[in-house]
Amino acid sequence: MSAVPEWSRSNLWDLFDLSPIAGSDLQAYLETTLAKCVAWFRASGGSIFLATNYDTYELKASFGAMMELPEHAVIHRGQGIGGIVAQSGRGKIINDPHRDPELAGVKGNSAIVSSMVIPLVDTKRKTIGILNISRRFGELHFGDDDLEQAEALGAHVALSVSNAQMVATLHETINETLIANEKLRTVLDSVAGSVVVVDANGAVVNHNQSSDHSQLIEALNHECDSVFGNALRATTKDVIKSGVAKKERVFDKESDRWWVIQGLPLNSGGAVMTVQETTDDVRRQREASRTKRLAEIGQMTAAIAHEIRNPLTGIRSAAQMIKQDHEMVDEFIPLIEEEALKLNRLCEEFLEFARPIPMDLTSTSLADAILPVVKLAKPCFEEKGIQYHESLSTNQPILQLDVRRVGQVVHNLLRNACEATPSGGSIRLEIDADDFRVIDTGSGIAPEAQEKLFSPFFTTKSDGTGLGLCTSRKIIDAHGGTISVTSEPGHGTTFTVTFNRNAA
Ligand code: ADP
Ligand code: MG
């Protein structure tokens, strides 16, 4: 082509006008651009194919003579003129295309006299589309100048198309993110507890709308010095630093409130902290065990009357004997004393059982709570010639325990084991993270007796009170734990006590 006529110069600038793409309406942009290209080259038709995947290009816009193309015409990479241009990344002029029936996958192109097939190559040198501009019979053939211009235009169109595609993808991603965010927020808001997201420095970046989220934020921002605040800050710091999930129970003695704090580390370096106050659950549980105990006390009344009657009868008989014969004082006074002591011990143990347990919880490991008590039981083992073994897990997390009460349970279990084990037998104490076992090689317990073990006053010993295991269970219950027994008569017994680290 010779000099560019004046009228079309402004049209050339139009070709570079990016405004149609601003609204990310790619289709409108393609159609306008194609029409302008056809006009610029004074051609009679044109088409644009865009990549649907790496190997195929689908017809997206056609103009003039190319309107006859089937709606979803496809060019395969490497096949036909269009496919070869896509593969080589270089534009091509085809004159007298009726001699070349494969022109850009175009069928029925007999009216076309000259065509330019231009690859639309993006900045990563990938062919993202194919531009085809054709002239009919009676029009001039395209020359090398035309090809050069068309390639420049092609580069520009490729840039605009990939921009538009990026914008569309971005819009889609933003929309998807917004939807996902909204879903997440709804889920977080519907969670019963408070959820707070903190960054790697522990600063709050997001939270749900729970009733006490402000208390959490204050605590995390070091605005309150409380047991809860300190525990939350410590757990958060720990989760961020270790990158390991954590779950803690927190108890504030002063306000008698309980919380469960959970932390999940984020890959980005922060953490998601969830807090649930469990005070009501704990109180409900205490109330339930109180009710249970009251029912048991009811059942015990008959048993206790029986227990009291025996020593009382003994005392009365002794008194009558003394009354009849004063000389017998020395013989019967110790008997009276002994029976009175028995009554006193019975009263003490009963009171211990009947009283609600005022728990005095402290943060301590199981080993620290148990080991000092073991020392007290050792003389009994030595006296009877029983071997004692101990195993201790190195994982000793901090639990909330009433040390004195837990000690009482350990003492009861070790004493029972000692009483049941003959000389030469052995007793083993195993302390794990949140449970412990007392294993003996003693007499074992008959299956029918196993069912009654934890009932008050169940004893097989002449001097037993039958309150040891019953009180032990009450103590473990109050900790939210469990106590269980397995036994093989004649071989031995294992008592297992488990503290649920996360129980209310
Ligand atoms: P007491 O020791 O006063 O009898 P406990 O409540 O401590 O009361 O125990 C109840 C009963 O359970 C005992 O009398 C005994 O029959 C049985 N028992 C408890 N521990 C063991 C054990 N380690 N081996 C065998 N029997 C046991
Ligand atoms: Mg006992």
Side-chain angles (χ1 to χ4, degrees):
M1 259 167 91
S2 53
V4 176
E6 201 53 43
W7 64 266
S8 55
R9 217 173 270 284
S10 60
N11 288 357
L12 179 65
W13 290 118
D14 274 4
L15 284 176
F16 290 90
D17 180 7
L18 279 173
S19 58
I21 219 98
S24 79
D25 184 353
L26 183 59
Q27 189 58 39
Y29 169 78
L30 291 175
E31 280 165 14
T32 316
T33 304
L34 183 62
K36 285 177 182 177
C37 282
V38 171
W40 167 256
F41 287 105
R42 300 207 186 153
S44 52
S47 63
I48 295 179
F49 286 72
L50 289 187
T52 46
N53 59 43
Y54 183 70
D55 280 326
T56 42
Y57 298 84
E58 200 182 283
L59 179 67
K60 291 292 174 191
S62 57
F63 185 78
M66 291 295 174
M67 295 285 259
E68 324 158 1
L69 285 170
E71 202 181 330
H72 295 294
V74 167
I75 294 175
H76 293 281
R77 194 178 161 82
Q79 291 174 20
I81 302 293
I84 289 166
V85 164
Q87 199 168 38
S88 69
R90 279 201 304 274
K92 213 170 159 60
I93 294 176
I94 302 106
N95 290 323
D96 299 326
H98 48 279
R99 287 195 203 144
D100 189 346
E102 284 186 311
L103 171 62
V106 175
K107 284 173 201 131
N109 54 2
S110 52
I112 305 291
V113 70
S114 180
S115 267
M116 287 194 290
V117 186
I118 312 295
L120 304 177
V121 182
D122 72 3
T123 47
K124 290 179 197 138
R125 307 226 44 79
K126 200 180 145 210
T127 306
I128 59 159
I130 303 153
L131 168 67
N132 177 26
I133 299 165
S134 303
R135 287 184 180 151
R136 281 176 195 269
F137 277 117
E139 294 173 340
L140 287 175
H141 280 186
F142 288 114
D144 286 345
D145 283 357
D146 294 317
L147 186 63
E148 213 173 289
Q149 280 183 18
E151 277 183 329
L153 277 174
H156 175 72
V157 173
L159 188 68
S160 301
V161 168
S162 41
N163 279 349
Q165 282 172 336
M166 268 189 313
V167 169
T169 315
L170 192 68
H171 275 290
E172 226 167 82
T173 314
I174 290 173
N175 267 344
E176 276 167 15
T177 312
L178 285 175
I179 291 168
N181 246 342
E182 196 184 320
K183 277 187 196 160
L184 186 67
R185 180 147 287 281
T186 315
V187 171
L188 287 183
D189 286 347
S190 64
V191 168
S194 303
V195 184
V196 172
V197 182
V198 294
D199 65 14
N201 300 317
V204 176
V205 288
N206 210 340
H207 61 82
N208 71 343
Q209 287 303 324
S210 71
S211 52
D212 44 8
H213 68 269
S214 52
Q215 184 198 355
L216 245 78
I217 295 168
E218 271 172 30
L220 285 166
N221 289 340
H222 297 260
E223 283 163 18
C224 68
D225 180 27
S226 61
V227 173
F228 168 73
N230 294 339
L232 180 62
R233 280 194 295 277
T235 312
T236 308
K237 208 167 147 187
D238 208 24
V239 172
I240 294 173
K241 200 172 158 205
S242 66
V244 178
K246 233 182 153 192
K247 191 171 181 179
E248 292 283 343
R249 280 181 82 209
V250 180
F251 172 56
D252 183 358
K253 212 187 252 181
E254 220 161 90
S255 61
D256 192 27
R257 287 174 71 183
W258 289 84
W259 296 268
V260 174
I261 300 179
Q262 261 178 298
L264 281 175
L266 290 172
N267 286 342
S268 55
V272 178
M273 304 304 299
T274 317
V275 173
Q276 181 131 32
E277 179 162 1
T278 52
T279 308
D280 286 348
D281 296 340
V282 175
R283 290 193 184 145
R284 259 196 300 276
Q285 202 182 43
R286 277 188 203 154
E287 190 51 36
S289 56
R290 203 177 76 90
T291 314
K292 192 165 121 196
R293 207 170 49 252
L294 285 176
E296 279 172 343
I297 291 170
Q299 290 167 7
M300 279 167 66
T301 314
I304 214 169
H306 177 77
E307 292 296 318
I308 292 173
R309 195 169 287 146
N310 277 347
L312 275 185
T313 312
I315 291 171
R316 214 169 113 217
S317 315
Q320 275 169 355
M321 297 302 279
I322 294 167
K323 212 165 145 192
Q324 281 169 17
D325 183 352
H326 290 251
E327 306 257 298
M328 296 180 94
V329 164
D330 288 348
E331 195 183 326
F332 282 103
I333 285 291
L335 205 139
I336 290 174
E337 260 173 1
E338 199 182 306
E339 294 299 311
L341 276 175
K342 231 188 242 178
L343 274 177
N344 192 43
R345 204 173 77 196
L346 185 71
C347 284
E348 264 173 22
E349 291 204 21
F350 176 67
L351 282 175
E352 174 75 6
F353 173 78
R355 258 194 302 258
I357 298 192
M359 296 280 272
D360 182 13
L361 295 176
T362 44
S363 300
T364 177
S365 73
L366 206 45
D368 286 345
I370 292 177
L371 290 177
V373 183
V374 178
K375 279 192 205 128
L376 303 176
K378 277 185 181 160
C380 167
F381 305 151
E382 279 157 21
E383 210 174 282
K384 272 190 88 173
I386 295 170
Q387 286 185 34
Y388 171 74
H389 307 280
E390 199 171 270
S391 81
L392 186 62
S393 156
T394 47
N395 175 22
Q396 289 293 319
I398 297 299
L399 306 176
Q400 298 295 325
L401 301 176
D402 183 326
V403 176
R404 194 178 68 83
R405 303 274 176 189
V406 172
Q408 207 179 329
V409 173
V410 177
H411 179 76
N412 282 342
L413 295 180
L414 289 176
R415 206 175 91 183
N416 280 347
C418 187
E419 284 165 357
T421 307
S423 164
S426 70
I427 291 173
R428 182 175 178 81
L429 173 66
E430 291 180 357
I431 307 175
D432 281 339
D434 43 24
D435 58 48
F436 72 90
R437 275 167 296 284
V438 175
I439 306 160
D440 68 53
T441 59
S443 59
I445 307 165
E448 57 278 11
Q450 281 185 35
E451 289 166 23
K452 301 181 208 147
L453 279 191
F454 297 98
S455 306
F457 298 112
F458 173 78
T459 181
T460 53
K461 299 165 194 167
S462 57
D463 58 347
T465 63
L467 285 171
L469 286 178
C470 163
T471 306
S472 298
R473 195 188 63 183
K474 191 177 93 171
I475 293 169
I476 301 304
D477 274 356
H479 280 85
T482 55
I483 177 166
S484 60
V485 62
T486 53
S487 182
E488 213 181 314
H491 288 93
T493 304
T494 300
F495 277 90
T496 305
V497 175
T498 306
F499 293 92
N500 180 354
R501 228 182 293 181
N502 304 309

